[in-house]
Amino acid sequence: MSAVGEDSLPRHAWSAALSGLVGMGPRRLRAVLGRWAAPEAWEAIAAGASSIRELLIEIDPNTGARQAQEWQAQCRRTSVEGVWAAATDGGGAVEVPGSPGFPPGLADDVEPPAVLFTRGRCDALPGPTVAIVGTRRCTTYGSTTAWELGRSLAGQGIRIVSGLALGIDAAAHAGALAADGAPPIGVVATGLDVVYPRRNRALWEQVARRGLLLTEAAPGTGVERWRFPARNRIVAALAQVVVVVESPERGGSMYTVTEALRRDRAVMAVPGPITARSSTGTNKLLAEGAAPVLGVEDILIALGLEPSASGGGGESRTPPSAHDQRVLDACGWDPSTVDQLAIRTGLGLGELLRSIQTLVGAGWIADDGSGWLRRLVRPEPPSPAGG
């Protein structure tokens, strides 16, 4: 056990160590730090103080006594210096309410985190923020839309916030990184040294290098189901607007919506096919009054901003001719084959293919490998340098 009087460690090193105790969720940590300063709380737990046991029983009568014993054993074999080193090595930081790097948007939250572990740019947070969330099992339409929204918004100086999960989260951040614009913000549910999901390792590293990664979980913390909804409340709290791209009626993105509404954040949804399970949640949000996202400009308006001429937020595509609009109207958000489009439009093959070519060139539709589908916005071409 580390000595509480150790002068070489800041006081919030003990907050970091406390957060790593098994079962130490946000509610328990706030309760503990609401009664003791972090070093004193650590010392009381290690000593098996009855006051700690009583507090935990007050929080949960069924498990409180056992939890106190588990914490005491873990506290005695844990080095506070070791936790601090793991959290701060390689450019990491530990932030608590009142510290310079603690996000202002979380300080007055209804459920503020008592400690945050961060890696990346501490100046990434000031500025307009939009959370783009949705299902991990997204369609091509969903991932393309999330990517395009992420890129266009980041190009307008908007910070994209997500949970760095598979699917919509990852697509939105990949788009934001492609814009080389505003820094991305990733909120994760594990320790910053435990990448989850593993296939997003490269994305994690890029977000940390060009933006900011943050978590409530101490170094070494692995996957625990309860941490994901806890993470989602932070995603909602950091965002001025939450945009749901694709989601079934239940799932993590809908928990984020609940937390956003709890904080009076604007919630918007991207319409999807009524036949797609991946859009049942978003379409229900629209039916219940959520504002629709039909283009990036809708989100900018919700933020109280206007699209800039260079940021890609406004509609830059050439309007289709009346003839091509007929083909565009026949294209849905799910892929359609040439045969299906021919039946819907009544056009001959040559005439149809010419219209498709025109619409592709203008950025209105794209081929996802299984058919033609509409695009929400037109992606900007890469810069001459390949950016």
Side-chain angles (χ1 to χ4, degrees), residues 32-90:
V32 168
L33 294 180
R35 296 199 186 184
W36 299 275
E40 287 70 34
W42 184 266
E43 186 176 63
I45 292 170
S50 59
S51 53
I52 292 288
R53 181 174 178 274
E54 290 166 0
L55 174 62
L56 292 178
I57 291 174
E58 180 181 323
I59 295 173
D60 189 337
N62 296 321
T63 65
R66 183 174 70 253
Q67 188 76 75
Q69 292 178 338
E70 292 174 353
W71 281 3
Q72 181 182 19
Q74 186 180 356
C75 189
R76 287 181 168 180
R77 64 175 183 266
T78 299
S79 164
V80 175
E81 293 90 341
V83 174
W84 181 252
T88 57
D89 283 353

Side-chain angles (χ1 to χ4, degrees), residues 7 18 21 26 99 117 130 132 145 151 174 205 216 222-223 225 231 244 253 269 307 311-312 339 344 352 362 367:
D7 293 333
L18 285 167
L21 296 178
S99 65
F117 301 87
V130 170
I132 298 180
T145 299
R151 186 177 193 199
E205 292 173 353
E216 287 180 290
V223 176
R225 292 186 64 178
R231 172 204 63 186
V244 188
S253 51
D339 288 343
R344 292 170 190 165
L352 175 60
D367 181 6

Side-chain angles (χ1 to χ4, degrees), residues 160-194:
I160 300 301
V161 184
S162 88
L164 278 177
L166 295 175
I168 297 300
D169 286 20
H173 263 144
L177 289 164
D180 196 21
I185 312 297
V187 187
V188 299
T190 58
L192 295 180
D193 56 343
V194 182

